[in-house]
Amino acid sequence: MEVITTLALFSLTLVVLYLLFKPNQNNLPPSLKPSWPLLGNLPTLLRSTTPLHITLADLAQSHSAPLMLVTLGTAPTIVASTPEAAMEILKTHDRALSGRHISVCFRIEEMNKNSLVWDDCTDNWKQLRRIAKTEIFGPRMLQIQEPVREKKVGELMEFLRGREGKVAKISELVFGTLLNILGNVIFSKDVFGYGEKDEVGMQSLIKELLIIGSSPNVAEFYPVFEGLDLQGLKRKCVDRVDRVNKLWESTVKERRLSRSTNSGERESKDMLDVLLDNGFSDVQINVLFLETFGPGSETSSSTIEWAMAELIKSPTKLAKLKEELNQVVGPTSQVKEAHIPSLPYLQACIKETMRLHPAAPFLLPHRAMEPCKVMGYTIPKNYKIIVNAYAIGRDPKIWKDPCCFRPERFLESSVDYNGNHFEFIPFGSGRRICVGMPLANRTIPLIVSSLMHNFDWSLPEGRKPEELVMNEILGLTLAIDPSLSVIPTVRGNKTY
Ligand code: HEM
C-alpha cells in the first residue's frame, strides 16, 4: 500500500513539474512564471496591489521580455512591452495582427458586425473607417464644426466663472463638455446641462457602460463560461445599450423625415447627415453613435484631468504655459483652436501627459487573425495581443527621468503620437490607430489651455500643489485616483 501511495505521489509530482516546466514546443514567447494549471498567472497578478499595466511593465523590465505570454485563468495573452515589439505587431504584421479581441460583455453580434471598434478588418470595417476618416473626422468637417466646439468650451468657462472659490470636480464638468461637443459633432444637439441633474441620462449611461466594460469578468479568464454570463455583465450591457439607443431614436427619426420631405435642407452637415447620405440603417447608426460617445469622451476627459493635475503639481511648468498663452493669445482674449499650432509648450505639455498617463495603456486588444512570427516567436491564430503603451512611455532605456513630468523633452525632439514613433503610441499605430485622433488633437489642447488661461487653480483645504495625490486606477481608461477636486479663481476678464 505504501509503495502504491509513494508511486502515486511521485507520478503526480512529475505531472505537476512537467506542466510547470514543459518545453516550449510551440515556440511561443516566454511564459510568465509560475504558471499554474487552470489558474495560469492569475495568482501572481492578483497578489500584486499595483494596477495591472504597472505590474506587467515591471515584469517585462525585470525579465527583459519584449514579448511575454501571460495566461489569465485559461486565456493566453501576448503582451508586447518595447517599441520594437510594438512595431512588429502594429506595422510589420499589421494585416495579420489587427483583428479585435472583443471583450466578452461587448460580444453582441448585431453590434459587432456593424462596429468600427470591434469588427475585424473586414470590407464593412474598411468602409466605416473610410467614412470616419475622410468625412466625420476629416479636415473639412472639423473646420466646419470649429465654432461649435469653441462655443461649448466657452460655456464651461462661463459655468466655472460662476463657481469661483467653490470646489469643482473637474472630470465631471469636462466629461459633460466633451459629451456636448460630441453631441454636436453627431447630431447637432447638447446632451449635458451644467449644474443640472443628468436628465437626458447620457452621462450616466455612458459611464455605466464604461464601468460594466471594465469590470473583471470570469468569462474573460475562463472562456468556457461565456454562455452562462455568471455575473450578469452581458445582460446589463445589452440593457444599457438599448437604453442609450432610445435617447437619440426620435432625433434620427425626425431627421430622416425632414430629409424625405425635403423641408429640412440643413446649412452644415453633422455625423448623422453623413451616415444618412451613405444609406446607413438605424442599427448601423446606433452602433456608430455609441462608438463615438464612448471612446471619444472618457479618453479625452481623463487626459485633460491628468494634464491639469500634472500642471498644478508643477508650478514652474504651469507658469511657463501661462506665459506662452499670454504672449500668443493675449491676456484679455479667449483661446481659439487657431492658436494651437502657435502654442508649442502647450502641445509639449499634452504630449508629456499622454506619455506618462496614456488613456488606453494597453491600447485596445488585438487578435491574431492568422498564425504569425513576431521577434522569432510564434503567435498562434486567435491569440489576444496587448501592447503596453504605458510600459513603452516609461522605459528608462528610451526616456531620461521617465517618471518626471518634463514637457521640455518634446520641445527638443520631433517625436509625436501620430503612429510613426513606436516609443510613443498613446493612440496606437497602423490600420487600427485611433480614428478620433484629429478631433482629440483639437479638443484636448483647447480645453486644457482655456482652463489654465481663464483661471488660477488651488487645492481644497489649503493643500499645497506638492501635496496633490495622483494615484493611477485602471478601468476602461487610466484614471486619476482620487479624482481631481480644485478651486477656480478668475484671471482677468476675457472677451469672446
Ligand atoms: C486622448 C484621447 C484618445 C486616446 C488616447 C485614444 C486612444 C485610442 C487607442 C489606443 C485606440 C486603439 C488603437 C489600437 O487598437 O491599436 C483607439 C481606437 C479608437 N478610438 Fe480613440 N482615443 C482618443 C480619443 C478618441 C476620440 C475623441 C474618438 C472619437 C470621437 C475616438 C474613437 C476611437 C475609435 C472609433 C477607435 C476604434 C478604431 C478601430 O478599431 O479601427 N478616440 N483610440
Side-chain angles (χ1 to χ4, degrees):
M1 187 67 186
E2 221 173 86
V3 175
I4 294 173
T5 314
T6 313
L7 266 177
L9 276 176
F10 182 66
S11 318
L12 191 67
T13 312
L14 279 183
V15 170
V16 170
L17 283 175
Y18 172 76
L19 285 173
L20 282 179
F21 302 105
K22 71 178 169 191
N24 186 352
Q25 290 154 334
N26 301 325
N27 191 30
L28 293 166
S31 166
L32 186 60
K33 296 275 182 329
S35 181
W36 300 93
L38 290 178
L39 295 173
N41 305 117
L42 274 181
T44 313
L45 298 176
L46 291 179
R47 217 179 310 128
S48 165
T49 49
T50 44
L52 187 61
H53 60 289
I54 304 181
T55 310
L56 289 180
D58 291 346
L59 286 166
Q61 272 287 330
S62 58
H63 290 68
S64 304
L67 273 188
M68 273 187 309
L69 172 65
V70 176
T71 309
L72 302 172
T74 58
T77 301
I78 306 291
V79 185
S81 307
T82 63
E84 296 73 25
M87 187 161 114
E88 285 223 18
I89 289 165
L90 303 173
K91 186 175 177 186
T92 319
H93 302 290
D94 189 23
R95 201 185 54 75
L97 303 181
S98 281
R100 273 279 181 245
H101 170 88
I102 310 176
S103 304
V104 171
C105 69
F106 291 132
R107 286 186 199 160
I108 306 170
E109 204 192 327
E110 195 183 44
M111 278 182 70
N112 299 154
K113 65 176 191 247
N114 291 303
S115 169
L116 186 51
V117 177
W118 299 119
D119 198 3
D120 283 339
C121 300
T122 58
D123 287 344
N124 188 42
W125 172 85
K126 283 182 195 152
Q127 194 212 1
L128 294 177
R129 190 78 207 187
R130 185 187 53 72
I131 294 173
K133 197 171 158 209
T134 57
E135 300 197 49
I136 298 164
F137 303 115
R140 215 178 95 75
M141 188 70 105
L142 287 178
Q143 202 183 347
I144 291 172
Q145 293 178 337
E146 190 172 311
V148 82
R149 288 191 296 274
E150 288 170 349
K151 184 165 170 241
K152 296 298 124 192
V153 176
E155 286 167 5
L156 171 63
M157 298 306 125
E158 272 314 301
F159 178 75
L160 284 166
R161 275 172 188 273
R163 305 272 310 166
E164 182 165 29
K166 302 197 178 102
V167 177
K169 278 257 176 212
I170 209 68
S171 69
E172 281 168 25
L173 297 172
V174 168
F175 189 75
T177 306
L178 287 160
L179 285 185
N180 277 349
I181 289 178
L182 292 168
N184 282 279
V185 167
I186 295 171
F187 41 52
S188 307
K189 280 188 183 172
D190 283 356
V191 291
F192 170 82
Y194 294 99
E196 294 168 11
K197 250 184 82 214
D198 180 24
E199 289 196 344
V200 180
M202 180 76 79
Q203 195 183 8
S204 40
L205 283 171
I206 298 283
K207 284 262 180 205
E208 277 181 53
L209 272 169
L210 293 169
I211 292 169
I212 296 166
S214 60
S215 306
N217 189 339
V218 177
E220 207 67 71
F221 307 140
Y222 298 99
V224 290
F225 294 130
E226 184 183 338
L228 299 179
D229 192 21
L230 291 171
Q231 295 152 274
L233 291 170
K234 176 95 149 256
R235 254 168 294 145
K236 276 193 200 161
C237 189
V238 171
D239 171 70
R240 302 309 185 273
V241 168
D242 281 348
R243 281 162 57 185
V244 84
N245 287 343
K246 294 235 159 51
L247 297 182
W248 49 67
E249 198 176 312
S250 60
T251 307
V252 177
K253 215 184 228 163
E254 278 162 25
R255 186 76 64 87
R256 275 195 195 281
L257 196 70
S258 73
R259 287 164 60 101
S260 68
T261 56
N262 228 354
S263 59
E265 197 51 43
R266 291 161 41 75
E267 254 174 49
S268 58
K269 287 190 174 185
D270 54 22
M271 180 170 172
L272 179 52
D273 287 315
V274 172
L275 299 182
L276 292 174
D277 286 347
N278 283 279
F280 277 58
S281 69
D282 284 356
V283 173
Q284 289 172 309
I285 289 174
N286 284 342
V287 175
L288 288 177
F289 278 9
L290 189 56
E291 292 186 348
T292 307
F293 275 121
S297 52
E298 183 78 0
T299 46
S300 303
S301 79
S302 68
T303 304
I304 292 166
E305 195 183 7
W306 277 113
M308 266 192 94
E310 287 287 5
L311 284 163
I312 290 172
K313 199 158 183 162
S314 314
T316 51
K317 316 281 179 207
L318 180 55
K320 212 165 156 181
L321 174 61
K322 285 182 177 171
E323 181 50 32
E324 182 179 79
L325 290 166
N326 272 346
Q327 293 288 330
V328 176
V329 179
T332 57
S333 303
Q334 288 292 350
V335 188
K336 302 276 177 200
E337 284 187 10
H339 291 122
I340 297 170
S342 317
L343 294 165
Y345 196 69
L346 169 69
Q347 292 178 38
C349 290
I350 308 286
K351 285 184 187 172
E352 182 68 339
T353 303
M354 291 189 185
R355 179 188 70 79
L356 282 169
H357 315 287
F362 294 138
L363 310 184
L364 279 174
H366 286 222
R367 185 175 56 79
M369 297 201 286
E370 54 192 65
C372 190
K373 266 221 153 25
V374 175
M375 303 186 103
Y377 299 111
T378 302
I379 300 189
K381 186 174 173 179
N382 284 332
Y383 266 43
K384 175 177 170 181
I385 305 159
I386 57 178
V387 176
N388 194 341
Y390 174 94
I392 295 173
R394 292 186 181 226
D395 187 338
K397 288 197 220 73
I398 305 166
W399 303 96
K400 193 165 171 253
D401 301 328
C403 297
C404 288
F405 181 74
R406 203 168 63 80
E408 289 73 12
R409 71 176 87 233
F410 283 104
L411 294 177
E412 298 147 9
S413 99
S414 59
V415 170
D416 202 348
Y417 49 59
N418 52 16
N420 295 323
H421 302 103
F422 287 88
E423 64 272 47
F424 182 43
I425 46 168
F427 290 94
S429 173
R431 69 185 64 194
R432 298 228 72 142
I433 193 171
C434 174
V435 77
M437 185 169 60
L439 178 64
N441 266 340
R442 290 171 175 243
T443 46
I444 295 174
L446 179 67
I447 296 178
V448 171
S449 56
S450 299
L451 288 167
M452 295 307 165
H453 195 45
N454 280 276
F455 304 99
D456 289 320
W457 297 94
S458 54
L459 298 176
E461 293 147 24
R463 272 179 292 135
K464 298 195 183 72
E466 62 271 24
E467 291 170 326
L468 180 60
V469 179
M470 289 168 51
N471 293 323
E472 292 179 346
I473 177 164
L474 183 60
L476 220 54
T477 61
L478 184 60
I480 182 167
D481 182 35
S483 73
L484 189 61
S485 292
V486 273
I487 302 170
T489 306
V490 177
R491 295 181 71 221
N493 274 329
K494 310 246 184 305
T495 50
Y496 282 92

